[in-house]
Amino acid sequence: MVTSSSSHMVSQQTPSTSLRGVSSGYRSSVEYNTCQMKGVFMPTPSPYDLSPIAQSQPSLVEDGREQTEIQSHIGGPVDAVSDKQIADVPPKLPERDFSGTPYVPVYVMLPLGVINLKCELIDPDGLLKQLRVLKSINVDGVMVDCWWGIVEAHTPQDYNWNGYKKLFQMVSELKLKLQVVMSFHECGGNVGDDVCIPLPHWVAEIGRINPHIFFTDREGRRNPECLSWGIDKERVLRGRTALEVYFDYMRSFRVEFDEFFQNGVISMVVVGLGPCGELRYPSCPVKHGWRYPGIGEFQCYDQYLLKNLRKASEARGHSFWARGPDNAGSYNSRPHETGFFCDGGDYNGYYGRFFLNWYSQVLVDHGDRVLSLAKLAFEGTCIGAKLSGFHWWYKTASHAAELTAGFYNPCNRDGYAAIVATLKKNGAVLNFASAELHTLERQEEFSEALADPDGLMWQVMNAAWDVCTPVASENTLPCHDRVGYNKILDNAKPLSDPDGRHFLSFSYLRLGLGLMERENFMEFERFVKRMHGEAVLDLQV
């Protein structure tokens, strides 16, 4: 869903307008920076942000006995480069030298369906060979989703971890590390989903009787992708609250895999907090017709969240505010087409500020409650929370796409400070889904969307770093080219940051046939070396 890349590639739109004249869709860079009032650090752009892809041919680091096997998994020998390929290499620009920079561990996400619905490890022999290939280039570890819909599929508190046991043992024997995701959401229906893993069957049965356990939009459409935060404290799941369900699952995992915690194989547990495992509302569901760059819709119309809103409005002394906005448009609206998000719209009025503060606080409170339980369940182990970048409409005053997702981040307010403060409180790492790819294509095709993925990313990263919350990251779309890797490297190790801050780790999406193609894999090996701060021979792209 989040697709973007370097905004350095696209020139600024600069027609002059007043700060209230956002309906025209453009601001000068001076007006935009004044309106933002964020004060974030922005690194100096690198020259290769503009350059085309050029493949290099670094050597593979291989164990002698595995050399033939490894070559067979990356599409053939490494020296088969034709004169035609060499002649086609475009003009080169100097690259930044990352040798001697801080070591950033690189993890590779395993396929979404590496464990099937019966909790069996799919193709263990083939996976073992691929993991050996990753180990041969010094990848630090792998990331894997532990699906709630697989492990607790049929009966409450009846957990089946069998496939994960075999997988973890294989990873441990290769001396790789593990990042595991407590995936309390369904898989299927989002960009990049190639398998379907629903929520547990017993949860679906409850949902057929009581559909209000799911997030609901203004038209009453339910989204069974994850549970509504309105039932965090409601005993509607066979006598348990959603929080108790999450905690029981995490506690079972911690007990089942104690040896991997004790020996340090499990280096981080990322806690699922919403759709796609991310801390956000499911405001842009493709299944309900959303398409980029629509603003999305508020998701607070199940009876439990409406009850929460009613209490908040009564406590404020304005019981008639116990409603969602009636002029916020639909999934594919643009901000200027709505009375709520347009320049001078209701989002900045008394009711609008009340509603958005409540809506975003529900998100923060949910994150706080679940992370506090994860901190208890995984004491002594690093925990993390995923956050994604809603970068479209970032250059407008209202930041509409962020508001419907639960990030109260209009131009005169920092909507991420409360989130990172919650992470800091619970000792959690911010895992930001970096929007580093395809910005040029998206901005050319949808120039009216006023996207700014770089501006958003640096706002979020600085909000975290300012309170000493570590930042990890992952790419949101497949990346195999030098330019994309350079962008990730620049984000991971900002060149001009006076404090020398950098990512805690990076998780690459994802292990598959594309990565194992010969040129792609050699480019990836080069990327891993540079993330590790090692020297590479050819510093040109």
Side-chain angles (χ1 to χ4, degrees), residues 354-375:
F354 160 78
F355 173 79
L356 291 170
N357 186 70
W358 168 81
Y359 189 73
S360 61
Q361 191 61 48
V362 169
L363 176 148
V364 171
D365 290 345
H366 170 74
D368 185 30
R369 288 191 289 259
V370 179
L371 287 175
S372 66
L373 294 176
K375 182 181 179 181

Side-chain angles (χ1 to χ4, degrees), residues 248-259:
D248 289 344
Y249 183 87
M250 292 188 288
R251 182 172 55 185
S252 172
F253 177 83
R254 177 62 183 83
V255 172
E256 194 71 40
F257 296 102
D258 179 67
E259 64 175 297

Side-chain angles (χ1 to χ4, degrees), residues 95-106:
E95 285 186 282
R96 181 178 159 196
D97 184 3
F98 286 92
S99 61
T101 57
Y103 185 104
V104 174
V106 177

